[in-house]
């Protein structure tokens, strides 16, 4: 979807996507969205390292594995939203 709309890297309180119609990529809100996307990608990279550590640990219990999986799913949702947004531009 690209009708001059940018998919933002956050959702509404109901989990619905947010879009921006801006005059250009350097608007204040566009720059904020860029900054948040970068933070989400950096966070996802950190989560990936943590998940790999948990998977390498043969003694990691169910709680640690579940925690890692929950964080990985959250990060994957963010990364996919960033990819869709950037692909639409």
């Amino acid at each position: 979807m690209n009708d001059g709309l940018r998919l933002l890297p956050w959702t509404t309180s109901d989990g619905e996507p947010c879009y921006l119609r801006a005059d250009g990529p350097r608007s204040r809100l566009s720059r904020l969205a860029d900054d948040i996307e970068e933070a989400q990608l950096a966070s996802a990279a950190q989560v990936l390292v943590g998940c790999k550590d948990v998977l390498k640990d043969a003694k990691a219990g169910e709680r640690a594995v579940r925690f890692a999986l929950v964080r990985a799913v959250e990060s994957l949702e963010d990364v996919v939203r960033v990819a869709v947004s950037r692909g639409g531009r």
Side-chain angles (χ1 to χ4, degrees):
M1 166 182 199
N2 188 354
D3 300 333
L5 298 177
R6 175 186 177 165
L7 176 63
L8 294 172
W10 56 80
T11 60
T12 66
S13 59
D14 297 332
E16 296 296 319
C18 292
Y19 295 92
L20 170 66
R21 182 181 307 273
D23 294 336
R26 301 313 313 156
S27 74
R28 188 175 190 175
L29 196 51
S30 289
R31 290 191 318 267
L32 174 63
D34 290 342
D35 291 345
I36 291 174
E37 284 180 353
E38 290 306 315
Q40 287 173 327
L41 294 175
S43 177
Q46 291 175 337
V47 168
L48 179 59
V49 169
C51 287
K52 287 180 177 182
D53 288 344
V54 169
L55 291 175
K56 285 181 200 173
D57 183 358
K59 294 181 182 180
E62 178 185 345
R63 197 169 177 186
V65 173
R66 286 188 60 79
F67 180 82
L69 182 57
V70 168
R71 298 290 82 80
V73 168
E74 291 169 349
S75 293
L76 185 57
E77 288 173 336
D78 289 343
V79 169
V80 168
R81 188 178 302 107
V82 170
V84 168
S85 177
R86 291 182 178 183
R89 289 181 269 150

